[in-house]
Each structure stands twice: as structure tokens, then as C-alpha cells.
Amino acid sequence: MATIQNHSSELIQCLTLGVATTLEKRPGISDVKLSDYEAADRSTLIGWEQKNCCVMPSDLKNFYQTTNGLLLTWKVSNFNDSESKLAIGRMEINPVAGLRKISSSASTESILNKISLADADYHTDSEDDEGNTPHFDSRSKLFEVDGCGGMGKVCLAYLHASSSSQRSEFWFVDRALQWWFIAADFTTYFRLMLMHLGLPHWQYAFTSIGLPQKSKQWFNLYAPVRLKLNEQNNRDKSSLMPDEIVVSPVKVDFSRVFRGKLAAEKRQQKSNSSNQSSSTTSKKKSLQNLSSRSVPSLRSNRSSKPWT
């Protein structure tokens, strides 16, 4: 049975559409844990807005007024070893305190020269005049919603930080610091997270990279319909891409690959053998010339030389 760590279990079950109870009934799934946090105070939400100079979306604000964050995890029993279990599913929404801003001056700790995220933002004003994608510099405001286990970040993105419209969307940034759109509002993102059951790397279903092969195996087990829908959506997007490059397979005749090299080797061997034969014939001729010369002629030649 799902472990819920507070008294408002029914409210959280309704909020998550009963996904914890559904997971319990799946074969092989165990240790379904749904952490319930206290609701965030209105003063906490106002303080966050004043600190970051932006208005929190109404649906996200309503969520935080119900529960200050969410964490639902589940494991899969190992069929070879009943005692060991694999942590597979994870659905997480950071609390208000964890909704931290991704600063443009933040740097990678493992790099000594402290490269800034603003330096990694290769888009310029001329390349993105409409501002359809987030930026790490001052053009956008980015707040971390889910750390995704270090495989990227789901962010609440205010695309136009200087604008008064305060339009916000939910984007996923991968390990290559490329942005991928997920949802236009928090309600849509929350439903997508529940439909994907928090399976590993489910955010990559919205990227051109696609799901890793290992994640596809888990999807085939626990969310096969969602996997088919994601693959269909990716095919539809790829068919709408302009200037698609079609690479035709190249047929290689392996019998002809090394034919020129073998012919060159044969010619080289033939030339070497001819050179060897010519050298042997020249040696024979020189020996014959020496043998044909008479001994008196040699003596006469020797006597003709002056003596000292």
C-alpha cells in the first residue's frame, strides 16, 4: 500500500489522480511512497514574487497553496533477487524554497575557468528576434522545477523578463544546454508527468534525441500506450521539418574494394623480380668477360706499368 506521510492523504490522492493506487496494482512495483508537504503560506508566495520580480502563474500558485511541493517514488522488485529493488519512478515538484533562479552568472563547478551560462547561450538577438526560446542571459528568467536526477532540468521560464506580460512556460534543458518546450502552463505539465508515471528520462520524449533505449524498455512494461503516442508525435514533427535531408544507403562491392591495391602489389612484385633478374644477368656477363681475358694480356698490362 502507498505510504503517505501526512493526514491529508485523500486530498493528495485526488491531486495526483490516484496514480499511487494505480501503481500499487501493477505487477512488480513496490515501495510506492507519496510524500505530502504542508501547504505554503500566502506570505511565502508573495515573498517569492517580490524577491524575483515576477508573478507566479495562478495554477502553480494554487498547487503550492495545496501542498508545498510533491515527491512520488516507486521501485521495481528484482526477479533474480527478491530482496533487492530498483528505484525507477520519480515524480517531483520542488517546493517554493527550491524554486530557485538559474542565474546567468552560475558556472560549472568542475571547470576551473568558471564558464558562465550566459557564455553558453549561443543565440543572439538577430537569431531569435521573437524570443520563442528561453535564454540564460538577462532576456529570460528561469526557475528550476525539477532537477531530473542530473539529466537536465525542467524550468519555469519567463521568456521576456523585461516585458509586462509575464508570460511563462515550462521548458526542459538537456545536458547539452539546449531548450525543449514541454507545456504552456503548470496544469498541462503536471498531467504529463502523471501520464508518464515518472519513468526515467521521460522528459527526453519531447526532444529530438528521444528516449534512451533503456527507458523505452521500462515504457514498454508500464506505459506502452504513452510510448506509442510519443513516437507518433515525433514522427509528425519530423515530417513537418523543412529541408529534410534524406541519406540513401550506399551499396559497397567488397570484391572491388582492394582490387586496385592488389594489382599495385602485383606490379610491384613483378618489377622487383625483373630488377633481380637483370642484376643477375649483368653479373654473369661481367664474369664471362673476366674469364675470356688471357693471362699473358694481364701480365703485359702489369709489365707496362712503371716501377718505382
Side-chain angles (χ1 to χ4, degrees):
M1 189 172 180
T3 303
I4 302 178
Q5 300 175 353
N6 210 321
H7 61 280
S8 58
S9 59
E10 295 181 0
L11 179 60
I12 300 301
Q13 285 283 2
C14 294
L15 183 66
T16 57
L17 305 179
V19 68
T21 305
T22 304
L23 288 171
E24 283 182 334
K25 299 177 182 179
R26 297 289 183 92
I29 293 181
S30 61
D31 291 352
V32 181
K33 295 182 180 181
L34 177 60
S35 299
D36 178 23
Y37 302 103
E38 297 290 337
D41 298 333
R42 190 168 181 268
S43 59
T44 303
L45 300 177
I46 295 174
W48 184 90
E49 292 178 336
Q50 292 178 349
K51 177 183 177 181
N52 297 289
C53 299
C54 56
V55 179
M56 185 179 291
S58 59
D59 51 358
L60 182 59
K61 189 181 296 184
N62 293 333
F63 171 80
Y64 281 129
Q65 287 178 340
T66 305
T67 173
N68 190 6
L70 181 72
L71 179 61
L72 193 155
T73 59
W74 51 275
K75 298 180 180 180
V76 173
S77 300
N78 192 347
F79 297 100
N80 297 325
D81 187 3
S82 58
E83 295 182 357
S84 64
K85 297 178 181 180
L86 302 175
I88 300 298
R90 185 180 182 89
M91 293 175 253
E92 185 176 12
I93 303 293
N94 287 341
V96 178
L99 199 65
R100 295 183 294 269
K101 184 178 180 181
I102 300 178
S103 175
S104 60
S105 61
S107 57
T108 308
E109 295 180 358
S110 60
I111 301 177
L112 298 177
N113 55 1
K114 302 294 183 182
I115 297 176
S116 173
L117 286 176
D119 297 331
D121 194 357
Y122 55 87
H123 291 289
T124 61
D125 293 331
S126 60
E127 293 174 342
D128 189 18
D129 294 332
E130 298 180 359
N132 294 323
T133 58
H135 298 275
F136 290 108
D137 53 18
S138 59
R139 285 174 284 179
S140 304
K141 289 183 179 180
L142 310 171
F143 301 94
E144 181 181 340
V145 177
D146 183 7
C148 304
M151 297 302 296
K153 291 181 185 295
V154 175
C155 297
L156 170 65
Y158 293 85
L159 301 183
H160 304 282
S162 59
S163 175
S164 60
S165 62
Q166 296 289 321
R167 181 171 66 93
S168 61
E169 295 174 345
F170 285 80
W171 288 70
F172 173 69
V173 57
D174 59 15
R175 295 288 296 272
L177 301 180
Q178 293 187 2
W179 291 99
W180 307 97
F181 176 77
I182 295 184
D185 50 49
F186 175 74
T187 303
T188 305
Y189 170 75
F190 189 75
R191 289 176 179 175
L192 286 172
M193 181 183 67
L194 295 178
M195 285 189 292
H196 287 85
L197 301 178
L199 286 166
H201 314 135
W202 69 267
Q203 296 87 355
Y204 279 88
F206 298 89
T207 68
S208 62
I209 304 171
L211 291 169
Q213 193 63 34
K214 189 174 182 180
S215 299
K216 286 184 179 180
Q217 295 176 0
W218 292 116
F219 269 87
N220 282 322
L221 284 174
Y222 297 109
V225 177
R226 190 67 231 180
L227 178 61
K228 291 181 180 179
L229 289 174
N230 290 335
E231 290 179 348
Q232 182 63 37
N233 291 334
N234 291 334
R235 283 195 295 266
D236 294 341
K237 290 179 182 179
S238 61
S239 63
L240 295 175
M241 290 178 63
D243 300 330
E244 185 177 359
I245 300 175
V246 179
V247 180
S248 59
V250 179
K251 295 182 179 180
V252 180
D253 188 0
F254 290 98
S255 62
R256 297 183 178 181
V257 172
F258 301 103
R259 180 174 294 179
K261 185 176 180 180
L262 293 175
E265 290 179 354
K266 288 181 180 179
R267 287 195 297 269
Q268 184 67 25
Q269 291 176 359
K270 191 175 181 180
S271 63
N272 293 336
S273 61
S274 62
N275 293 333
Q276 289 178 359
S277 61
S278 62
S279 63
T280 53
T281 54
S282 61
K283 287 180 180 180
K284 287 180 179 179
K285 288 181 179 180
S286 61
L287 291 174
Q288 289 177 359
N289 293 331
L290 289 174
S291 60
S292 62
R293 297 176 65 182
S294 59
V295 175
S297 64
L298 291 174
R299 289 179 178 176
S300 61
N301 291 335
R302 186 178 63 181
S303 60
S304 62
K305 294 180 180 179
W307 294 92
T308 58

